Amino acid sequence: MKKPTAYPRRILLAVSGLTPQIVTETVYALAVDAPEPFVPTEVHLLTTLEGAAHAKLMLLSAEPGWFHRLCREYRLREIAFPQENIHLLRSPAGDPLHDIRTAEENECAADCITEQVRNLTADDESALHVSLAGGRKTMGFYAGYALSLFGRPQDRLSHVLVENGFESAQGFFFPTRKQNVIASPGQTPLDAAKAKVVLAEIPFVRLRQELPNNLLEGSSSYSEVVRAAGAAIGPTEMVIDQAHGRVRAAGKIFSLRRSSLAMLSVFARRAVEGKASLPAPQKFVKDTEWGRRYLKELRKGVQHPEDMNEQTIHSLEGGMDGDQFSTYLSRLNKDLRIFLGPASQPFLIDGGGKRPRRYRLNLPAEAIRFEPISGE
């Protein structure tokens, strides 16, 4: 197999927020400090509107122009990184994202990152290196998972690590050849020439061969590609043990907090019964039907009635509003991501991607069971 360094087109793709330093740190680690240097021929950056402004001013300006300084200092003459290679994360309407905080913004980021990775892996004469060091944690997650979906044998995934002190110093962009005094956040003087930057390569499972050609060549969303990969690999199964607060999914057994288990059970039971997806309760309006169905599942996860919080019961008997729903749903999906990592996607509650949102668990009825779970 041809090594990544032997490909004529060598691409670095990074995600970032307000710390464009991860680009120069990663290029330094790959091209200067590696035993077998991987010198990118081009750099691409995925970021938000404000992140793009930071990158242009800090990396590509005439001064300080830290990316150009890195290339000059270490004679890295052939790396293309024009402003056009700074790609904005955008909404379906084409509006640039200012940040990634809401479920909708995360969904947009996932789709944009997926599309970029798909495009950059379409060239057989390229080797792609993806860095997940920057931006919000979900951006790194999506970048890593997108590479798992589309990555080829020559592609790599990494995280760049900078030693304490330099990591949070705004004036640090790479270890310089000569003494360069900068200040830490505590105003302690540091010499950038003495900094240590470590590139941690991350192994990942390559699923590209499991995807149909139309997904490799098309523009399907992140969720659609994940579902296709899951379907190709094999059936997905979920077992819910309400009495003991446990779930088995993706080959793992784990415990969920009562609130998350109840929310999962609502959608799992509807999937088993073949019922339609559900809209969320309106904001600031108590939805009695939502309160009833959630409380019903919550009670099934309590072995002793006295363990139920009376205040919670009273509140839910009056209904569930949109804020409560969003809190419980966000908590559930977060718990599933923590326990299942990249394998969590088929088990997350999906909002459908379009407004008005309707929520469901995208598993077939035969893949879901409510029964006791044996084993650790």
Side-chain angles (χ1 to χ4, degrees):
M1 184 186 75
K2 192 159 68 170
K3 294 181 179 180
T5 54
Y7 282 79
R9 187 183 180 198
R10 301 177 299 278
I11 308 165
L12 169 63
L13 173 66
V15 293
S16 84
L18 304 183
T19 54
Q21 292 95 321
I22 65 103
V23 173
T24 45
E25 291 164 359
T26 304
V27 171
Y28 170 86
L30 284 171
V32 178
D33 201 44
E36 188 172 1
F38 177 91
V39 182
T41 57
E42 60 193 87
V43 174
H44 292 260
L45 182 64
L46 278 162
T47 186
T48 59
L49 186 63
E50 190 175 359
H54 276 61
K56 291 174 184 177
L57 289 172
M58 301 302 291
L59 300 180
L60 302 181
S61 60
E63 183 62 36
W66 282 103
F67 179 79
H68 302 309
R69 289 173 67 170
L70 169 68
C71 293
R72 287 195 302 269
E73 188 157 336
Y74 289 99
R75 298 179 182 178
L76 305 173
R77 297 187 178 92
E78 304 300 325
I79 305 178
F81 187 24
Q83 291 194 10
E84 291 75 19
N85 284 12
I86 298 177
H87 308 282
L88 291 175
L89 299 172
R90 296 179 180 274
S91 72
D95 300 320
L97 300 185
H98 293 266
D99 202 350
I100 303 170
R101 291 183 178 275
T102 66
E104 291 83 357
E105 289 165 344
N106 271 284
E107 189 173 323
C108 293
D111 290 345
C112 291
I113 292 169
T114 298
E115 187 62 18
Q116 193 64 232
V117 172
R118 186 201 335 254
N119 289 337
L120 294 177
T121 54
D123 181 1
D124 292 337
E125 293 305 310
S126 72
L128 175 64
H129 191 109
V130 174
S131 171
L132 47 72
R136 294 200 176 274
K137 292 179 181 179
T138 49
M139 292 173 67
F141 172 88
Y142 293 134
Y145 202 86
L147 190 62
S148 186
L149 290 167
F150 294 104
R152 305 152 302 173
Q154 67 267 32
D155 300 326
R156 298 292 185 268
L157 178 68
S158 73
H159 188 289
V160 69
L161 306 170
V162 181
E163 65 180 319
N164 289 338
F166 293 97
E167 182 181 22
S168 51
Q170 290 189 351
F172 179 75
F173 282 77
F174 60 88
T176 53
R177 294 172 67 94
K178 298 180 180 179
Q179 186 180 70
N180 179 32
V181 179
I182 59 175
S184 71
Q187 299 305 308
T188 301
L190 300 169
D191 183 3
K194 297 180 178 179
K196 301 296 182 185
V197 175
V198 177
L199 191 81
E201 189 168 306
I202 302 170
F204 63 96
V205 177
R206 291 166 173 80
L207 302 175
R208 185 182 183 91
Q209 298 304 316
E210 308 296 340
L211 295 179
N213 286 334
N214 66 310
L215 292 182
L216 295 173
E217 300 168 359
S219 57
S220 302
S221 70
Y222 171 80
S223 297
E224 289 170 332
V225 179
V226 169
R227 281 197 291 272
I233 293 169
T236 302
E237 181 184 80
M238 172 181 279
V239 179
I240 300 174
D241 182 350
Q242 288 180 294
H244 299 96
R246 300 203 297 171
V247 175
R248 185 172 70 228
K252 296 183 179 180
I253 297 174
F254 53 92
S255 297
L256 282 178
R257 63 185 105 187
R258 289 177 185 168
S259 60
S260 293
L261 187 71
M263 182 61 77
L264 177 62
S265 298
V266 168
F267 290 103
R269 201 169 301 280
R270 291 188 72 82
V272 169
E273 295 172 356
K275 293 183 178 179
S277 55
L278 285 167
Q282 295 183 32
K283 197 171 184 178
F284 306 128
V285 177
K286 289 282 190 179
D287 186 317
T288 54
E289 184 60 21
W290 248 111
R292 182 199 63 76
R293 66 168 65 96
Y294 180 83
L295 186 56
K296 180 180 178 181
E297 300 298 344
L298 187 65
R299 284 185 167 127
K300 290 178 181 178
V302 177
Q303 291 183 317
H304 304 289
E306 59 269 21
D307 291 340
M308 283 287 289
N309 184 292
E310 290 297 327
Q311 186 175 355
T312 300
I313 295 174
H314 179 73
S315 173
L316 289 170
E317 285 177 340
M320 178 187 289
D321 64 25
D323 283 344
Q324 286 175 299
F325 173 84
S326 295
T327 297
Y328 290 141
L329 181 65
S330 175
R331 189 180 294 163
L332 166 61
N333 283 339
K334 179 180 178 181
D335 287 346
L336 291 172
R337 288 190 178 101
I338 289 172
F339 287 115
L340 299 177
S344 64
Q345 186 63 34
F347 306 100
L348 301 177
I349 306 306
D350 180 21
K354 297 179 181 179
R355 294 182 182 276
R357 294 190 179 279
R358 296 185 65 89
Y359 296 86
R360 61 177 297 175
L361 175 62
N362 282 316
L363 291 179
E366 60 272 17
I368 305 168
R369 300 199 307 276
F370 288 86
E371 62 184 44
I373 296 173
S374 58
E376 295 299 323

